Amino acid sequence: MNFCSNCGSPVVSAIPPGDHLPRFMCSSCGAVHYKNPLLVLGCVPQWEDRILQCRRAIAPRLGYWTVPAGFMENGETMQGAAARECYEEAMAQVEIGSLLAVVNVTHASQVHVMFRARLLAPVFAPGAESSEVELYAEDQIPWEELAFPSGDFTLRRFFADRAAGREDYHFTELARPLRP
Amino acid sequence: MNFCSNCGSPVVSAIPPGDHLPRFMCSSCGAVHYKNPLLVLGCVPQWEDRILQCRRAIAPRLGYWTVPAGFMENGETMQGAAARECYEEAMAQVEIGSLLAVVNVTHASQVHVMFRARLLAPVFAPGAESSEVELYAEDQIPWEELAFPSGDFTLRRFFADRAAGREDYHFTELARPLRP
């Protein structure tokens, strides 16, 4: 950030009165510009014993596989965002279920929140950000070709819980990129 | 938003190529400026059978009572943010426990996430944003003087679960301000 989005003057980094962290502050109008963590919402859509995976058609991690997930938009609920992302990336309609995983990705200032989901029908196709969409059984998951550590964590907990007949939620922290 | 925080030129609201929502885009350097939901993290700190409440010394809802909670900062985990807010507002140290409530505050584009917590000692004092901090038993909660609907939801679920010997998590949506 170089300029104030309110008045267009240069910003400086300084600790505002009563605050405890440096913020970008406008040198002219005094506006304080905060930067806060971003929410990424996703789901594991299930049809019978298989789950839906998307092959990424965009950077980062182009060509690798992921659960459908993406940035939550203003005005959405978490569940609404997860269902929308599934429709955009996999053209698939889901009913969002229980909370599955919350991954604090501190190095990127993101929180990834993943739900279980039920595919309403075995109907899907690549959305604009996917090159392939497939239903995979557990023994077909391309573990070595998963795009993101948070997706790996999510799928491992999903299958472990399913095998145990549970629907627990799981928190974890990914403090640095696994692939720097 | 009026000006590009990257180059200082005026922004326009338009749908970027491949996107589906209008964003603020720079008329000069082409930067796209996204606005996304904010995370508010809090907890219900318990000591024996009582819980900690803070009376707000700042707007909004000055003079009303709240669980300790506030905006998550970059680089934090959800649990880290909840514990930090408790220290800032109530000068109290806690161990964060199980997930209690997730409140989708869609009208404000916020998600409030609340945890159960254990006070490490009955030691607390008003932080800069509080005028009073008190331990209250369930029958002492000032229900009519609570600052925020998300706090009301959180406390009601907390006491209901505690009475039932459960530690469930609860999602809800607050689609509009209860007090417009």
Side-chain angles (χ1 to χ4, degrees), chain A residues 2 5-6 23 73 99 169, chain B residues 2 5 23 73 99 169:
Chain A
N2 303 306
S5 56
N6 182 46
R23 314 286 182 183
E73 300 279 5
L99 181 64
Y169 67 87
Chain B
N2 304 306
S5 56
R23 315 285 181 183
E73 301 280 6
L99 181 64
Y169 67 87

Side-chain angles (χ1 to χ4, degrees), chain B residues 9 19 31 43 46 58-59 64 82 89 107-108 120 129 160 175:
Chain B
S9 301
D19 205 340
C43 67
Q46 180 164 318
I58 56 169
Y64 287 79
E89 298 188 355
H107 71 86
L120 299 187
E129 300 180 359

